[in-house]
Amino acid sequence: MSKKESFLINRLKSVGYAFKGAIYLIRTEASVKIQVFCAIAITIAGFYFDISKTEWLFQIAFIGLVMSLEGMNTAIESIADFVHPERHQAIGKIKDIAAGAVFIAAICAAIAALVIYIPKIF
């Protein structure tokens, strides 16, 4: 019987696994690479236009939401492909729904960016 690891050790391992997953997403998923580029660009814009704390909170929340949903979408697609590697109508529907969730969040993020930056640009 092995000794049970401490709560702290388990949490540190969990953080390590999560970090590994985030790096994997950024390195392998084209859509995440685009989103990282957009996040960096919009962060630079935030500093340039000196946006308010509230605007920063919305901007950070939308960046996190879109990127997190993209990670979930990738995970759903991966598990769907693992469970049913052949083309299948139900699997296609599941993948479309997951991608649709990312799309909705991205549209909302773009609208929020327009609300924040259009008054500052014009």
Side-chain angles (χ1 to χ4, degrees):
M1 188 174 229
S2 65
K3 182 181 173 192
K4 186 176 178 187
E5 292 180 334
S6 73
F7 175 80
L8 180 61
I9 296 299
N10 282 330
R11 293 309 91 201
L12 289 173
K13 283 183 177 181
S14 292
V15 169
Y17 298 141
F19 184 77
K20 182 179 165 183
I23 295 300
Y24 178 82
L25 269 173
I26 292 167
R27 286 187 176 162
T28 62
E29 295 298 315
S31 57
V32 174
K33 289 177 185 178
I34 292 167
Q35 290 163 2
V36 167
F37 173 80
C38 291
I40 291 168
I42 205 80
T43 299
I44 291 168
F47 285 113
Y48 179 80
F49 288 106
D50 194 28
I51 63 176
S52 71
K53 286 181 185 178
T54 303
E55 291 166 331
W56 273 114
L57 290 173
F58 277 102
Q59 183 165 297
I60 291 165
F62 273 113
I63 289 169
L65 177 66
V66 172
M67 293 185 74
S68 296
L69 281 174
E70 187 61 56
M72 293 303 296
N73 179 48
T74 300
I76 289 167
E77 288 182 355
S78 295
I79 200 165
D81 290 342
F82 178 77
V83 170
H84 205 295
E86 307 85 37
R87 207 163 166 76
H88 190 277
Q89 186 176 1
I91 294 294
K93 182 178 179 182
I94 290 165
K95 289 179 171 185
D96 290 348
I97 291 168
V102 179
F103 180 71
I104 291 167
I107 294 296
C108 291
I111 292 169
L114 291 173
V115 169
I116 292 170
Y117 291 105
I118 283 181
K120 294 175 185 332
I121 293 170
F122 297 108

